[in-house]
């Protein structure tokens, strides 16, 4: 763990801090005194090769921070990172976590991959690793006013009009993502919308949408459990849809998407119209994330279980709000992640 001296009272933890939205968030944290005063805890897959994060940190040379190795595809890695963080918070080496931003993301664009545990990489990187990390870190989050920020996506909702142009959800069988435990397992293990059935970017987009659906279900379900918890009731969860952005997420995309759209067309659109409905600059979305993480609502209270898109309160998909489906997904995730009572301080963890 690379580190600088800690003299602050808060910690901001961001997953996937190298590149795209993650490093844009870090740049804004280091550039603004109201954020830079916090201790930064930035996770990347390889701390020895994180040039975008290194560049972002140059904007705040005195900003106290640590860079931590974390591969969300490996549950043992998640457990190891969480144990290190929990130990350091308990020892007073770093402050309690004030804000946990679940930013890291992955899209395979049809080039389906699996983890060493036989899970679909899109499912593990976007959802399962974040779910386990969050449950393990609850003991280190500020119990009075801690904030968890979920990075969502309109891809989670097959009925969102913005998905129409992809054609990914036109087939009726994909308009409902999960119905039972068998269906959840199929998604987790890459048997739902597999590349063997659809090797185009649409198959990968559906898998990404399913993972984001589960992450947003986690937002709703975990908030309900936290609110009923005698110790953790002060922790609040919010979600943010950052919109389409130019980032490393497109590295596995076909040439038309990766180069023509994201490297030629979208930069021209952003240059001509910085505020538009097609693509957003990472800096713009980073501002939305930090606003959700730190700012109070109109009533002066920190929002609870709210979901924002461009700073506007939105309703998540009908499926994400289904209480029975949320409980089903939670129960199956507990088993898949191997969570035990000793692992988390959440009273209603099962």
């Amino acid at each position: 763990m690379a580190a600088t001296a800690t003299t602050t009272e808060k910690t901001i933890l961001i997953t996937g801090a190298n590149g795209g939205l993650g490093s844009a968030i870090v740049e804004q944290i280091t550039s603004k005194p109201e954020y830079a005063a916090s201790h930064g805890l930035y996770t990347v897959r390889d701390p020895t090769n994180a040039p975008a994060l290194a560049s972002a940190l140059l904007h705040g040379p005195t900003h106290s921070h640590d860079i931590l190795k974390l591969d969300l595809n490996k549950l043992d890695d998640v457990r190891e990172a969480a144990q290190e963080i929990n130990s350091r918070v308990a020892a007073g080496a770093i402050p309690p976590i004030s804000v946990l931003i679940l930013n890291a993301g992955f899209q395979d664009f049809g080039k389906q991959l699996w983890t060493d545990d036989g899970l679909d990489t899109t499912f593990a990187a976007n959802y399962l690793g974040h779910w386990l990390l969050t449950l393990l870190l609850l003991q280190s989050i500020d119990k009075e006013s801690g904030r968890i920020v979920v990075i969502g996506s309109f891809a989670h909702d097959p009925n969102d009009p913005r998905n129409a142009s992809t054609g990914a959800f036109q087939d009726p069988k994909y308009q409902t993502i999960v119905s039972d435990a068998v269906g959840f397992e199929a998604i987790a293990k890459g048997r739902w919308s597999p590349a063997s059935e659809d090797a185009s970017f649409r198959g990968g987009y559906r898998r990404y949408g399913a993972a984001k659906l589960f992450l947003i279900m986690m937002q709703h379900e975990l908030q309900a459990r936290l609110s009923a918890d005698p110790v953790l009731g002060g922790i609040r969860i919010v979600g943010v849809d950052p919109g389409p952005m130019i980032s490393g997420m497109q590295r596995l995309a076909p040439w038309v998407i990766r180069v023509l759209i994201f490297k030629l067309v979208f930069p021209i659109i952003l240059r001509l119209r910085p505020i538009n409905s097609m693509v957003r600059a990472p800096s713009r979305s980073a501002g939305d994330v930090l606003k959700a993480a730190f700012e109070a609502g109109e009533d002066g209270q920190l929002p609870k279980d709210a979901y924002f898109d461009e700073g506007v309160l939105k309703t998540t998909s009908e499926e994400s709000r289904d209480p029975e489906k949320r409980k089903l997904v939670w129960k199956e995730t507990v088993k898949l992640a191997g969570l035990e009572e000793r692992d988390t301080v959440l009273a209603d963890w099962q």
Side-chain angles (χ1 to χ4, degrees):
M1 173 183 283
T4 61
T6 303
T7 58
T8 62
E9 297 180 356
K10 296 180 179 180
T11 291
I12 304 171
L13 195 163
I14 304 173
T15 66
N18 182 47
L21 180 60
S23 55
I25 296 171
V26 174
E27 181 173 331
Q28 293 199 21
I29 289 172
T30 58
S31 301
K32 299 182 178 181
E34 63 269 31
Y35 302 141
S38 298
H39 179 70
L41 187 54
Y42 306 126
T43 79
V44 297
R45 283 178 295 176
D46 181 3
T48 67
N49 184 27
L53 173 58
S55 178
L57 289 169
L58 292 176
H59 292 265
T62 62
H63 170 59
S64 168
H65 68 275
D66 293 308
I67 301 174
L68 179 64
K69 178 183 179 298
L70 173 62
D71 187 343
L72 290 163
N73 291 318
K74 299 178 180 178
L75 296 186
D76 287 344
D77 208 45
V78 173
R79 289 181 176 276
E80 183 178 334
Q83 182 178 8
E84 180 175 353
I85 295 166
N86 287 334
S87 295
R88 296 196 72 206
V89 171
I94 59 174
I97 299 169
S98 175
V99 176
L100 169 60
I101 301 177
L102 305 178
N103 166 73
F106 172 79
Q107 278 188 268
D108 65 30
F109 286 91
K111 297 178 176 66
Q112 190 172 14
L113 301 169
W114 283 265
T115 70
D116 293 342
D117 297 322
L119 300 175
D120 179 71
T121 297
T122 300
F123 170 87
N126 291 290
Y127 170 62
L128 186 62
H130 276 141
W131 185 93
L132 180 60
L133 181 70
T134 302
L135 269 290
L136 296 176
L137 289 179
L138 285 175
Q139 69 183 70
S140 296
I141 295 179
D142 184 336
K143 307 300 186 296
E144 301 298 322
S145 59
R147 185 78 64 92
I148 301 169
V149 182
V150 167
I151 302 301
S153 169
F154 59 78
H156 89 277
D157 184 1
N159 295 311
D160 190 304
R162 291 172 290 184
N163 289 319
S165 62
T166 70
F169 300 105
Q170 285 183 347
D171 190 323
K173 71 179 180 180
Y174 292 125
Q175 290 171 10
T176 297
I177 292 177
V178 65
S179 299
D180 52 31
V182 174
F184 176 82
E185 182 182 35
I187 294 170
K189 296 187 175 180
R191 299 194 299 264
W192 181 85
S193 182
S196 59
E197 179 182 289
D198 183 354
S200 74
F201 80 91
R202 295 179 183 86
Y205 188 78
R206 286 189 289 266
R207 292 189 292 275
Y208 178 73
K212 286 297 186 180
L213 169 66
F214 295 149
L215 196 60
I216 293 168
M217 282 181 162
M218 171 193 140
Q219 172 191 325
H220 297 319
E221 185 64 21
L222 180 55
Q223 184 66 82
R225 294 171 185 246
L226 289 171
S227 295
D229 193 284
V231 177
L232 307 176
I235 299 174
R236 296 168 183 255
I237 310 178
V238 294
V240 176
D241 184 343
M245 296 174 294
I246 302 169
S247 71
M249 287 273 283
Q250 296 88 38
R251 63 184 177 275
L252 296 180
W255 183 89
V256 171
I257 296 175
R258 186 182 72 257
V259 179
L260 182 61
I261 295 177
F262 278 89
K263 291 190 176 180
L264 295 176
V265 175
F266 278 177
I268 292 173
I269 292 173
L270 283 174
R271 191 174 299 112
L272 297 176
R273 295 184 60 191
I275 307 298
N276 66 84
S277 61
M278 294 183 65
V279 62
R280 300 175 200 172
S283 59
R284 179 180 165 200
S285 295
D288 291 340
V289 171
L290 289 172
K291 180 179 179 180
F294 287 98
E295 292 188 14
E298 294 180 357
D299 59 357
Q301 300 295 315
L302 296 175
K304 178 180 286 190
D305 196 19
Y307 188 80
F308 299 96
D309 189 344
E310 294 189 288
V312 178
L313 187 64
K314 298 287 186 178
T315 301
T316 61
S317 73
E318 182 177 352
E319 196 167 4
S320 73
R321 292 178 283 111
D322 185 317
E324 294 306 315
K325 287 191 177 185
R326 288 188 350 228
K327 291 175 184 176
L328 164 72
V329 169
W330 184 279
K331 180 180 178 180
E332 296 304 312
T333 303
V334 167
K335 293 189 289 187
L336 196 60
L339 190 75
E340 298 180 358
E341 184 175 8
R342 64 186 179 185
D343 294 329
T344 183
V345 296
L346 181 68
D348 185 12
W349 63 276
Q350 292 180 299

